Amino acid sequence: MSVKYHIDHYVVDYRPDGRYGKRVRRHLPVAIQAEDEALLTERLIKESVTSRKKEDVPLTNETVSELFIKYLDWYETNRSQTTYKDLLSTQKHIDKVLGKEKVEKVNINSIELYKRMRMADRPQPVNRTINKEIAYFSGFLRWANKRGYITARQFKIESLPYKRPIPIVLSVDEVFQILASAEPFYRSFFVFLYSLGLRKSEARMLQWKDIDREMNTVTMKQKGGGFKRLPLNAVVISAIDELTEGKFGVIIEN
């Protein structure tokens, strides 16, 4: 294994399967310019490659990239399209850092390497974004183990420290000022969010057929594929009526 500076970044040259295995060149992020940082990253790569126990029997010889494609196929069928698209956006980062590594060789050092490499990319917000990505990767490893591709991992993936920002809570008067100034379509959208406590995606995907005016209820598909039915209060009914009566020149399409 060696570290060399090439044009504007460091490159780590190594053979993950031993002296006679395939040669791999890992390009480190341009943000890693200090030699000691590059050497530390090289050490993490070396540890992630060599720390696998010799007595472990590999169940698959596939790389992370190769097996992740199968995971995406399963995920597209068994999870919502929103989370599937989010996973797709994460895949390119996983491929870049861990894609060439054999799945059965992934260990805690691989995860620490991923954290360090992604921190050098400075995604915003840094810790929250990386935590989401390693959570997706952890789900991938659980899926691989459940289907017999790898043995159960013997390490715990720790998240980076992150504090959620304190939410800004609007007063009732402020909410009604927003509703009063919004156009009818957006007013009904905001009313569904505020009055019924829906997620943005839940309100956005509602269709006219989901609203039962006889029973004054609305049925929606939840995150994870389940359904829930909620009663419509007077505020929501008024917003719907404003749309269906065609006020303010709004065109309704069923």
Side-chain angles (χ1 to χ4, degrees):
M1 185 174 288
S2 65
V3 179
K4 297 180 180 179
Y5 194 80
H6 178 70
I7 303 177
D8 61 350
H9 64 281
Y10 281 97
V11 177
V12 178
D13 195 324
Y14 65 105
R15 298 178 188 274
D17 295 321
R19 180 178 300 178
Y20 302 105
K22 183 179 178 181
R23 178 183 176 186
V24 174
R25 301 187 72 205
R26 185 188 293 273
H27 296 260
L28 304 187
V30 176
I32 298 179
Q33 288 293 313
E35 184 178 4
D36 57 345
E37 282 288 304
L39 291 173
L40 175 59
T41 305
E42 179 205 24
R43 180 174 62 79
L44 285 172
I45 294 174
K46 185 176 181 180
E47 290 175 351
S48 71
V49 170
T50 61
S51 61
R52 177 174 168 269
K53 296 179 180 179
K54 292 182 179 179
E55 61 270 20
D56 287 346
V57 179
L59 303 180
T60 180
N61 199 40
E62 292 177 286
T63 64
V64 169
S65 291
E66 291 168 342
L67 190 58
F68 209 88
I69 293 175
K70 297 179 181 178
Y71 180 55
L72 285 171
D73 289 339
W74 174 87
Y75 207 93
E76 185 177 15
T77 303
N78 293 274
R79 294 294 183 267
S80 71
Q81 283 300 301
T82 301
T83 54
Y84 171 69
K85 291 178 181 178
D86 201 26
L87 180 62
L88 278 178
S89 67
T90 299
Q91 180 195 16
K92 61 182 179 182
H93 303 299
I94 293 174
D95 276 352
K96 181 179 178 181
V97 181
L98 301 175
K100 295 179 181 180
E101 190 166 337
K102 296 295 177 63
V103 181
E104 105 275 345
K105 288 187 177 182
V106 170
N107 52 63
I108 190 61
N109 295 304
S110 307
I111 305 303
E112 293 305 312
L113 171 66
Y114 184 84
K115 292 178 184 178
R116 176 167 291 274
M117 295 281 278
R118 285 293 287 136
M119 288 180 74
D121 291 334
R122 304 302 298 173
Q124 295 298 323
V126 179
N127 286 13
R128 182 182 179 185
T129 301
I130 296 174
N131 284 342
K132 181 188 72 172
E133 293 170 0
I134 60 178
Y136 275 132
F137 190 72
S138 179
F140 162 68
L141 293 179
R142 289 194 300 270
W143 172 86
N145 168 244
K146 189 175 181 180
R147 279 152 184 76
Y149 289 110
I150 61 173
T151 55
R153 69 173 188 262
Q154 303 300 316
F155 60 91
K156 180 181 179 181
I157 297 179
E158 297 182 0
S159 300
L160 296 172
Y162 173 74
K163 290 185 178 180
R164 290 182 176 273
I166 299 175
I168 299 174
V169 181
L170 301 177
S171 68
V172 175
D173 287 341
E174 289 173 324
V175 171
F176 276 98
Q177 286 177 25
I178 293 174
L179 295 179
S181 61
E183 295 178 2
F185 176 82
Y186 292 104
R187 179 159 40 249
S188 63
F189 179 76
F190 295 148
V191 163
F192 270 92
L193 294 177
Y194 179 73
S195 185
L196 298 182
L198 302 187
R199 291 185 174 89
K200 180 178 66 174
S201 58
E202 291 175 336
R204 184 169 55 85
M205 297 303 292
L206 282 177
Q207 300 180 33
W208 286 113
K209 64 182 179 62
D210 300 323
I211 299 173
D212 185 341
R213 288 306 310 273
E214 291 186 7
M215 300 297 295
N216 279 334
T217 60
V218 60
T219 303
M220 68 208 65
K221 188 175 182 179
Q222 295 177 279
K223 184 177 181 180
F227 289 87
K228 66 180 176 182
R229 179 176 293 178
L230 296 174
L232 300 177
N233 57 41
V235 177
V236 179
I237 292 173
S238 176
I240 295 173
D241 287 343
E242 195 173 37
L243 283 177
T244 56
E245 290 172 6
K247 291 184 179 180
F248 304 100
V250 177
I251 298 175
I252 307 300
E253 295 182 0
N254 290 305

